[in-house]
Amino acid sequence: MITFDGEKGIFKLDTEDSSYLIALYNNVLYHLYWGKKIPEIKRSADAMFSLKGSSFSALDIGVKWGRSADIMPMEYPTYGAPDLRTPAMHLRYANGSSATALRYSSHTVIKGKPKLYGLPATYTERGDNVETLSITLTDEFNNIDVVLNYSVWYDYNAIARSTIIKNKGKEPLSVLSACSTSFDITDAASFEMLNLYGVWGRERTIERMPLRHGIQMIDSKRGSSSHNQNPFLALLSNNCTELTGDAYGINLVFSGNFAGGVELDGYNTARVFMGVNPFDFGYKLAPGEEFTTPEAVMVYSNQGLSGMSRSYHSLYRNRICRGKFRDIERPVLINNWEATYYDFNEEKIINIAKKAKEIGIELLVIDDGWFGERNSDAGYMGDWNVNIKKFPRGLSNIAEQINALGLKFGLWIEPEVVSYDSDLYRLHPDWCMHIKGRKSCLGRNELILDLSREDVCDYLISRICGILDSANIEYIKWDMNRNMSEIGSEALPADKQSEVAYRYVLGLYRILETVTAKYPNVLFEGCSGGGGRFDAGMLYYMPQIWTSDVTDAEERLKIQYGTSIVYPFSSMGAHVAAVPNHQLKRSTPFSMRGNAAVMGQFGYELDLNMLNAEEIEMAKLQVGFYKKYGHIMHTGDCYRISSPFDSDLSVIQFIASDKNTVLLNICCKQALPNAPFKRIVLTDLESDAVYVREDTGEQLTGGELCTIGIPFVNGDEHFSNILIFNKLIKN
Ligand code: DGJ
């Protein structure tokens, strides 16, 4: 899986379908290749580079003509000695300088993958086919070591990279930027970059643009991975489609400020990079200290975007998500938020629970408003005392009543924030993130607690455990409803204030690690005003995330489609809500709302007592369908056949992990008068296998389905259907 040929100067990292090559020449690391698998290399690395005079670029010391780091494809570039493109790493040394030149010092290859201390990352289990290459580079003048770690996930076609910077000198230094990954691809002028942008309610919209010369970047300076840009980008060949062509994905396993991008230089070399955002960042390293970057997960596929997504999906389902809920079907839930908002009491909740039980729902979640005097979003955050006007007999009693009806009980919390009007703030005004002496802006009437402080994190751990111990709570929705402002901490000196936003995320991870480890039987769902923190870092602690606050089915089809570029459907919370939809006032049929939601972690978010008899029967069927087939969408392979961004038709095909069942989820949002003919063509089925269409009994070969397809007539407004094809097993 990982080999080093010293004579040729090549590190070769192989996954099942891809190869990644790093060249070592004169102790400098160059990026040689990443793409389709190469069985064997005969040439030396040197013979594979086009060398040319470097005109204005300075030459590397001790390196011959044509090999300036400023024009060569580099593997982990640094600034100023003499590369002048965007560096992977930028350090400020005690003498005020920042030029760095890294030279190879040693390397090791081990079986498995070491843990990243304090950071979420892909993890191994016994028997996993993973090896890790660690290359140590040194700048002797500056007394630093930089360790590049590459864990090769052979079966998942993925490489996980992270970097450790070690201060081996006698003076402190500042880490100004430190990418998790960086590499240069030559001949890239025709490539395109794909990213997932958005805002609240319109998360992970797909954007794809040809590369232009210069830097194209995505980032977040919001303190969280954000609604606005997901920590993901893909470099695509210009002929890359959903099912064909080259796709190179880079995804950061991190929930805070990040930056990633591509710099295309005048020689048409694309430098791709991603890591912690260098903006407003600086991390002091005292002598002997080290800084470990978050992990970047890199996936190459020559089967287009869907091929790349399938690798991410299976890796994240199996080796990012953890705990018992990773491997079991999770409960169908009813959440009271859009049913009642803040206006609820014991009676209303019990009435919803009774109806839920009748439908087959398994978990009732009480959302925001169960504590303090919280009847709007005006305040009362931080204390977490049950509102006895709403629940006079307390939280444990309402949980018992829900349990007695045969449902599990779940609760919403937003532990990272505090209101001015709270005992917690009155007692510890210095515990919120702020700049001393300066008034902080409120977001949704909240201040953010300073999770860069150990004492605040310790307090939160004990308070959250207190809530969890106070009743039989089997599910937690962990929300966070604002971005950072006035970033500062009273607990850190002036020269460490630029570490606060980063340390906040480390503090959050420590809380999540402690709490989720202590309560392995509680299902945690992440949320940040919907999908404001939908990233692999959060999925490491919580196997599902509320995908968006927008519950309209048409919009959800787009948001889920965009999210599935990286993240599996099993990680997306998805609910049937009321019509007219509360955010958009749009009405979609109950069936389409159900068909859109069953792809994710399924639930309802409306007052079930407002449903008519027909809808109740449909809800029972939806729950029954989900219980029977949900696993296909959650553990099978996903192929995006038709995009709701490009047309009115959303089609997603899933092939069950045993390959015996195929599920086709079709949703069409507009009827057209006298519509053109349309065929839905499936993909990747065994051509000579026979499939039986469950609703009609019709028999079709895989070959037929993947060529002629099935006719689709766009006749009904909001047409939606789910087709199941079962492979005929010959005895
Ligand atoms: C934002 C979440 O995304 C919603 O689902 C809901 O929980 C509200 N917060 C409650 O304040």
Side-chain angles (χ1 to χ4, degrees):
M1 197 177 310
I2 298 176
T3 54
F4 176 60
D5 184 329
E7 245 165 62
K8 296 195 176 88
I10 298 176
F11 289 97
K12 187 162 184 283
L13 285 57
D14 286 330
T15 71
E16 194 171 359
D17 300 319
S18 71
S19 294
Y20 187 101
L21 305 185
I22 305 163
L24 177 63
Y25 183 86
N26 256 3
N27 290 331
V28 179
L29 282 190
Y30 301 100
H31 182 78
L32 190 52
Y33 173 84
W34 184 27
K36 204 171 169 203
K37 189 160 184 171
I38 309 170
E40 200 192 344
I41 306 274
K42 290 279 189 207
R43 282 174 292 177
S44 72
D46 205 32
M48 284 183 258
F49 289 117
S50 353
L51 300 177
K52 69 198 296 298
S54 51
S55 50
F56 249 61
S57 304
L59 288 179
D60 294 32
I61 293 165
V63 169
K64 70 179 180 195
W65 178 88
R67 211 177 282 276
S68 167
D70 196 26
I71 63 169
M72 288 289 287
M74 306 304 291
E75 180 62 17
Y76 196 74
T78 52
Y79 183 75
D83 194 345
L84 301 176
R85 294 170 287 175
T86 304
M89 180 191 89
H90 194 203
L91 309 181
R92 177 83 56 210
Y93 302 104
N95 65 1
S97 72
S98 76
T100 305
L102 297 174
R103 294 291 176 263
Y104 170 86
S105 119
S106 63
H107 77 270
T108 58
V109 176
I110 59 158
K111 287 233 164 305
K113 176 176 190 288
K115 281 192 170 166
L116 282 195
Y117 179 73
L119 284 163
T122 52
Y123 62 91
T124 51
E125 284 192 347
R126 191 192 294 254
D128 278 351
N129 217 355
V130 182
E131 285 181 5
T132 299
L133 164 69
S134 300
I135 306 177
T136 301
L137 307 168
T138 302
D139 181 323
E140 278 179 6
F141 179 81
N142 289 314
N143 262 317
I144 55 152
D145 274 358
V146 174
V147 183
L148 308 182
N149 291 313
Y150 301 80
S151 294
V152 179
W153 286 95
Y154 189 87
D155 304 329
Y156 292 97
N157 280 314
I159 297 176
R161 279 185 66 174
S162 67
T163 303
I164 305 171
I165 299 165
K166 300 180 175 177
N167 181 0
K168 305 192 77 172
K170 294 194 165 44
E171 308 269 8
L173 62 83
S174 283
V175 179
L176 302 180
S177 87
C179 284
S180 306
T181 183
S182 179
F183 56 91
D184 292 350
I185 296 193
T186 51
D187 210 357
S190 63
F191 275 63
E192 299 180 2
M193 177 172 137
L194 181 146
N195 57 293
L196 303 170
Y197 79 96
V199 284
W200 173 90
R202 217 158 15 87
E203 297 92 335
R204 291 167 296 286
T205 306
I206 298 174
E207 182 163 55
R208 180 175 172 170
M209 304 279 266
L211 290 187
R212 57 174 181 76
H213 289 93
I215 302 171
Q216 32 258 291
M217 265 187 68
I218 53 163
D219 82 336
S220 167
K221 306 186 232 348
R222 299 172 173 274
S224 66
S225 51
S226 87
H227 299 91
N228 308 62
Q229 287 285 357
N230 198 260
F232 170 79
L233 68 83
L235 207 60
L236 309 175
S237 58
N238 60 0
N239 62 354
C240 178
T241 66
E242 269 295 340
L243 305 174
T244 57
D246 296 314
Y248 302 80
I250 323 287
N251 184 217
L252 201 65
V253 185
F254 190 57
S255 313
N257 292 342
F258 73 92
V262 182
E263 178 176 6
L264 184 66
D265 71 14
Y267 299 106
N268 293 341
T269 298
R271 171 160 296 174
V272 185
F273 54 92
M274 192 173 286
V276 168
N277 198 337
F279 177 83
D280 199 28
F281 173 77
Y283 200 97
K284 264 232 140 120
L285 280 191
E289 284 185 344
E290 54 187 58
F291 179 83
T292 303
T293 70
E295 178 164 287
V297 176
M298 310 182 10
V299 167
Y300 165 79
S301 169
N302 65 351
Q303 289 170 41
L305 278 164
S306 280
M308 177 199 73
S309 302
R310 283 195 298 279
S311 292
Y312 275 117
H313 292 181
S314 55
L315 180 64
Y316 285 1
R317 271 193 315 247
N318 297 306
R319 294 295 180 266
I320 274 283
C321 293
R322 300 180 296 166
K324 86 171 200 190
F325 294 99
R326 180 188 77 182
D327 300 324
I328 57 174
E329 279 299 317
R330 299 168 211 156
V332 178
L333 66 81
I334 169 78
N335 178 305
N336 78 310
W337 178 242
E338 287 197 14
T340 64
Y341 295 101
Y342 297 100
D343 182 19
F344 59 89
N345 55 24
E346 188 175 307
E347 194 189 341
K348 268 197 193 177
I349 295 292
I350 293 297
N351 284 339
I352 292 175
K354 282 184 180 155
K355 219 19 156 205
K357 181 66 192 166
E358 188 188 324
I359 288 168
I361 292 169
E362 300 153 303
L363 160 72
L364 180 132
V365 180
I366 300 185
D367 209 280
D368 191 358
W370 58 268
F371 51 90
E373 292 285 313
R374 190 154 161 100
N375 296 313
S376 73
D377 65 10
Y380 300 100
M381 303 301 290
D383 293 340
W384 305 110
N385 300 317
V386 67
N387 180 339
I388 51 166
K389 287 192 195 129
K390 290 180 183 172
F391 299 117
R393 292 177 282 176
L395 211 53
S396 62
N397 178 274
I398 185 76
E400 277 163 23
Q401 291 188 63
I402 300 293
N403 291 162
L405 289 170
L407 296 172
K408 295 179 192 307
F409 175 72
L411 201 63
W412 175 97
I413 54 173
E414 190 183 354
E416 296 162 65
V417 299
V418 65
S419 304
Y420 278 127
D421 186 13
S422 65
D423 290 341
L424 183 63
Y425 183 80
R426 278 183 287 273
L427 212 58
H428 298 287
D430 56 328
W431 274 15
C432 62
M433 188 174 275
H434 68 290
I435 297 163
K436 202 167 182 193
R438 181 183 179 122
K439 211 162 166 49
S440 294
C441 302
L442 295 174
R444 211 193 187 207
N445 304 304
E446 297 163 355
L447 297 160
I448 302 184
L449 287 168
D450 179 2
L451 270 53
S452 74
R453 290 177 68 137
E454 227 174 288
D455 50 357
V456 176
C457 293
D458 289 341
Y459 167 79
L460 275 184
I461 290 169
S462 73
R463 194 65 198 95
I464 296 162
C465 293
I467 297 170
L468 278 163
D469 291 339
S470 72
N472 185 25
I473 299 168
E474 294 179 80
Y475 161 104
I476 283 284
K477 177 176 173 188
W478 183 301
D479 205 349
M480 169 56 174
N481 279 299
R482 60 160 297 183
N483 290 149
M484 289 181 185
S485 65
E486 291 86 14
I487 297 168
S489 171
E490 273 203 44
L492 288 171
D495 63 351
K496 281 182 171 282
Q497 291 298 313
S498 53
E499 297 174 16
V500 173
Y502 182 74
R503 285 177 179 270
Y504 178 96
V505 181
L506 297 188
L508 173 64
Y509 288 156
R510 180 164 77 83
I511 297 171
L512 289 171
E513 180 65 42
T514 314
V515 173
T516 54
K518 183 158 181 216
Y519 298 92
N521 295 323
V522 174
L523 170 61
F524 286 82
E525 175 156 351
C527 175
S528 179
R533 214 162 45 185
F534 205 118
D535 57 65
M538 295 312 281
L539 286 177
Y540 183 73
Y541 304 101
M542 316 196 192
Q544 62 193 65
I545 297 174
W546 181 227
T547 317
S548 175
D549 273 351
V550 165
T551 50
D552 172 76
E554 286 184 27
E555 291 308 307
R556 265 313 186 98
L557 287 169
K558 288 199 234 160
I559 295 166
Q560 292 172 188
Y561 188 100
T563 304
S564 80
I565 293 285
V566 193
Y567 309 101
F569 277 93
S570 59
S571 64
M572 303 180 207
H575 302 167
V576 173
V579 289
N581 176 261
H582 290 193
Q583 296 83 36
L584 302 182
K585 310 283 171 260
R586 181 153 58 200
S587 288
T588 45
F590 200 78
S591 58
M592 179 159 161
R593 280 177 273 154
N595 289 346
V598 285
M599 288 190 269
Q601 289 298 337
F602 187 52
Y604 291 81
E605 188 154 336
L606 42 69
D607 187 347
L608 296 170
N609 291 299
M610 305 297 277
L611 298 182
N612 62 33
E614 193 192 342
E615 287 168 332
I616 292 287
E617 286 316 305
M618 283 172 80
K620 286 182 188 166
L621 289 175
Q622 285 170 347
V623 173
F625 173 87
Y626 178 78
K627 302 239 54 110
K628 186 166 175 201
Y629 294 111
H631 69 96
I632 298 177
M633 296 169 280
H634 295 170
T635 60
D637 279 338
C638 152
Y639 299 80
R640 291 175 297 259
I641 303 284
S642 176
S643 163
F645 289 104
D646 301 338
S647 73
D648 290 336
L649 184 64
S650 156
V651 183
I652 304 202
Q653 172 193 314
F654 297 91
I655 302 181
S657 46
D658 64 6
K659 309 270 181 234
N660 290 336
T661 310
V662 180
L663 186 153
L664 204 60
N665 188 308
I666 309 167
C667 292
C668 185
K669 61 184 184 197
Q670 291 279 9
L672 282 179
N674 212 0
F677 296 114
K678 171 102 198 129
R679 284 198 211 145
I680 296 175
V681 178
L682 283 72
T683 189
D684 222 11
L685 307 184
E686 289 167 47
S687 19
D688 51 2
V690 175
Y691 295 84
V692 183
R693 185 171 152 169
E694 215 171 77
D695 57 338
T696 60
E698 193 183 359
Q699 295 199 357
L700 306 105
T701 63
E704 268 173 272
L705 285 166
C706 294
T707 50
I708 303 167
I710 50 169
F712 171 71
V713 182
N714 179 358
D716 296 335
E717 180 162 18
H718 288 128
F719 171 89
S720 85
N721 201 358
I722 299 181
L723 304 182
I724 306 284
F725 300 88
N726 293 307
K727 193 159 88 184
L728 210 58
I729 313 279
K730 293 175 203 133
N731 294 321

